[in-house]
Amino acid sequence: MRIMHTSDWHIGRSFHGNSTLPALRGVLEALIAQVREHAVDVVIVAGDVFDSAAPAADCYTLLTDTLVGLRDAGARVVVTSGNHDSAARLGFQARLLREGIHVLTDAAAVGTPVTIDDADGPVHFYGIPFLEPALVRTIWPGVRTQEQALGRAMEVVRADAAARGGRSVAIAHCFAAGVDPTPHLERDIQQGGLDVVPLAHFDGPDYVALGHIHGRQRLSDRVRYAGAPLHYSFGEQGKPRGSWLVELDADGLADVEWVELPVPRPLKTLHDTFEALLTDPAYAEYETAWVCAEYTDATPQLEPMRRLQARFPHCAAVVHAPSAARRQDGRTYAQRVRHARSDAELFEAFLEHVREGEGATERERELIRDTVEERSLAEASA
C-alpha cells in the first residue's frame, strides 16, 4: 500500500496581507498529479486543513475541489482536524462526502479506524483529531493536558489495533518531543495548550503521520511530520515543501520517500544598506521573490516599502536593522535642548533624540548651517 502523508494546508491563511489561495490551489493540484503519478492508495491530511475556525466560502471550494481531485486520482483520503480547525465545521458534512473520503473529527471515535484493504490484508487508519483537554475530560476523566489526552488516545488505538490484527497507521496533530520548532510557532503552542508529547506515546502503529510543525521532520523511521505545502512565514524560507510517500508491505513499514512540491514564489530575506538593496545587481534574481528587506542604515528611510516595491514588487516586509549599536548617553530631550547654545546645536539635539543618539550627517550639518544663516539674514533685513 502506498500512502501520501501531508498536513497543515492552512486554507485561507494570508501572507503579510496577501491571499495565498491561488498559490495553494496550484500546489494542491501538483499534489493531485503526484498521487496519480505514484499510484497512491491513501492520502492522509494530518490536521490544520483550514487556517481558522470560520473559513470563508472560497476556502471550502478549494477543499472540495482538492478532495474530489485526490479521489479521482485513485486515492482514498483520510482527513483529521487540527488546532486551527473547527472540528464541528470541518466534520459536519462527513456523512455527505462521496465514498472514499473520510473526515475524522470526533475524539470519542479514535478507537474506530478507517480500514482499507490491499493485497496483503487490512490496514487500519486511526485518526486522532486535535484534542483539547477541557473538551475530552468527559471521555477520559482526569485529563488535564494535551500530552495526557494523546497518551489516552494512543492507549485506545493500541488496544483496538491489537484486537483487530493487521497493520495500522495513526494520525495526530501535536507537538512531539524531539522536533525542531517552526519559528514564531512556540507562542501559539503555549497559548493553545499544545504541550510536548513524548515520542513513546506513539509506540505501536507501523507509521505515525503527524501535523502541526510546518517543516518536514523525521523523529524516527516511523514517526514523521510532513510540514506545510506552502511557506507561510519568512522563518520557513529555504525549507523544502512536499509530502512523505510511505510504502507498507505485508510486514509493515517498507519504505519512506520524500516527494517535493513546487514552490510558487520563493522567499528571501535581504540584509544590506538601503541604497544597495535598491541598486545592487546581485539582488536582481530576487525581484520576483517574496522579499523581507532588512536595511542597515543608521537612520530610518522615508517610505521604505513604497521605494523597495519599485524594485521588488513582492516585498512583503521591511525592517530597519542598523548595523551598529546606536550611541546612548542617557540624556533626555529636555537636557539636550538646555545644553544647545545655538540654533544649529538645537537641530543637532533634536536629531540625536529622534535617532536615538545618531546626530546629523556632515551634509545635513551643512544644510542646517545654510538654513540658519538664511533665516538670520531674513530676520535682520526685515
Side-chain angles (χ1 to χ4, degrees), residues 148-169:
Q148 293 173 345
L150 257 296
R152 296 293 292 274
M154 284 304 301
E155 288 175 2
V156 173
V157 166
R158 280 189 292 269
D160 186 83
R164 292 177 188 272
R167 297 155 294 168
S168 63
V169 173

Side-chain angles (χ1 to χ4, degrees), residues 21-163:
L21 277 179
L24 183 58
R25 177 175 287 277
V27 170
L28 293 178
E29 287 173 354
L31 177 68
I32 293 170
Q34 291 173 349
V35 166
R36 183 176 290 108
E37 174 190 352
H38 294 283
V40 172
D41 300 296
V42 181
V43 174
I44 289 171
V45 187
D48 279 357
V49 178
F50 293 121
D51 189 59
S52 73
D58 50 359
C59 297
Y60 282 101
T61 300
L62 177 53
L63 176 61
T64 301
D65 291 346
T66 304
L67 294 179
V68 170
L70 292 171
R71 190 70 185 103
D72 288 344
R76 303 278 289 271
V77 186
V78 181
V79 181
T80 60
S81 53
N83 59 302
H84 278 253
D85 299 308
S86 163
R89 285 191 173 92
L90 183 62
F92 86 97
Q93 57 179 350
R95 294 185 180 181
L96 305 177
L97 295 172
R98 62 189 292 183
E99 187 275 333
I101 300 175
H102 310 272
V103 179
L104 310 178
T105 62
D106 183 3
V110 295
T112 304
V114 172
T115 299
I116 301 172
D117 294 307
D118 67 1
D120 298 312
V123 178
H124 308 296
F125 290 83
Y126 294 91
I128 303 174
F130 172 69
L131 301 176
E132 180 64 52
L135 300 180
V136 298
R137 285 182 201 140
T138 56
I139 307 170
W140 303 303
V143 165
R144 297 290 179 185
T145 66
Q146 211 215 13
E147 179 268 326
Q148 293 173 345
L150 257 296
R152 296 293 292 274
M154 284 304 301
E155 288 175 2
V156 173
V157 166
R158 280 189 292 269
D160 186 83

Side-chain angles (χ1 to χ4, degrees), residues 5 57 85 105 241 250 255 342:
H5 166 200
D85 299 308
T105 62
R241 304 286 88 168
D255 187 48
S342 66

Side-chain angles (χ1 to χ4, degrees), residues 33-375:
Q34 291 173 349
V35 166
R36 183 176 290 108
E37 174 190 352
H38 294 283
V40 172
D41 300 296
V42 181
V43 174
I44 289 171
V45 187
D48 279 357
V49 178
F50 293 121
D51 189 59
S52 73
D58 50 359
C59 297
Y60 282 101
T61 300
L62 177 53
L63 176 61
T64 301
D65 291 346
T66 304
L67 294 179
V68 170
L70 292 171
R71 190 70 185 103
D72 288 344
R76 303 278 289 271
V77 186
V78 181
V79 181
T80 60
S81 53
N83 59 302
H84 278 253
D85 299 308
S86 163
R89 285 191 173 92
L90 183 62
F92 86 97
Q93 57 179 350
R95 294 185 180 181
L96 305 177
L97 295 172
R98 62 189 292 183
E99 187 275 333
I101 300 175
H102 310 272
V103 179
L104 310 178
T105 62
D106 183 3
V110 295
T112 304
V114 172
T115 299
I116 301 172
D117 294 307
D118 67 1
D120 298 312
V123 178
H124 308 296
F125 290 83
Y126 294 91
I128 303 174
F130 172 69
L131 301 176
E132 180 64 52
L135 300 180
V136 298
R137 285 182 201 140
T138 56
I139 307 170
W140 303 303
V143 165
R144 297 290 179 185
T145 66
Q146 211 215 13
E147 179 268 326
Q148 293 173 345
L150 257 296
R152 296 293 292 274
M154 284 304 301
E155 288 175 2
V156 173
V157 166
R158 280 189 292 269
D160 186 83
R164 292 177 188 272
R167 297 155 294 168
S168 63
V169 173
I171 309 162
H173 195 87
C174 65
F175 186 67
V179 75
D180 294 326
T182 300
H184 311 303
L185 191 61
E186 295 88 331
R187 177 175 56 84
D188 293 338
I189 291 168
Q190 293 168 357
Q191 290 183 350
L194 273 74
D195 40 77
V196 177
V197 177
L199 196 58
H201 277 9
F202 299 111
D203 288 349
D206 296 281
Y207 184 76
V208 179
L210 297 180
H212 183 58
I213 300 300
H214 287 191
R216 70 175 182 185
Q217 302 269 338
R218 174 188 172 277
L219 304 186
S220 73
D221 285 343
R222 40 176 291 283
V223 183
R224 301 176 187 243
Y225 285 93
L230 277 183
H231 293 114
Y232 285 118
S233 74
F234 282 102
E236 299 171 27
Q237 63 186 299
K239 292 184 177 181
R241 304 286 88 168
S243 53
W244 293 111
L245 181 59
V246 181
E247 189 159 351
L248 301 182
D249 61 15
D251 297 321
L253 185 63
D255 187 48
V256 183
E257 174 189 351
W258 179 252
V259 180
E260 293 274 354
L261 281 169
V263 176
R265 191 179 304 283
L267 280 67
K268 184 65 178 179
T269 298
L270 304 178
H271 188 85
D272 211 330
T273 65
F274 198 79
E275 180 65 22
L277 292 173
L278 291 178
T279 61
D280 193 331
Y283 299 130
E285 63 179 299
Y286 306 116
E287 290 175 357
T288 59
W290 288 116
V291 167
C292 173
E294 298 178 347
Y295 68 94
T296 60
D297 304 58
T299 57
Q301 295 292 312
L302 183 66
E303 297 184 308
M305 177 66 83
R306 180 187 62 78
R307 294 162 66 188
L308 284 163
Q309 285 182 339
R311 182 179 189 185
F312 307 103
H314 303 286
C315 181
V318 178
V319 179
H320 181 214
S323 55
R326 294 177 173 181
R327 299 187 303 272
Q328 296 285 353
D329 59 11
R331 292 189 298 167
T332 66
Y333 180 53
Q335 290 170 331
R336 294 179 195 276
V337 170
R338 273 200 306 270
H339 287 86
R341 293 167 296 180
S342 66
D343 288 344
E345 289 187 4
L346 190 60
F347 275 104
E348 182 77 14
F350 173 76
L351 291 174
E352 285 182 353
H353 175 70
V354 297
R355 294 175 176 175
E356 300 180 9
E358 193 75 30
T361 64
E362 188 56 41
R363 174 58 181 156
E364 288 171 337
R365 290 191 181 96
E366 292 177 5
L367 291 172
I368 290 170
R369 284 195 297 269
D370 291 345
T371 301
V372 170
E373 288 176 3
E374 291 175 5
R375 177 67 175 176

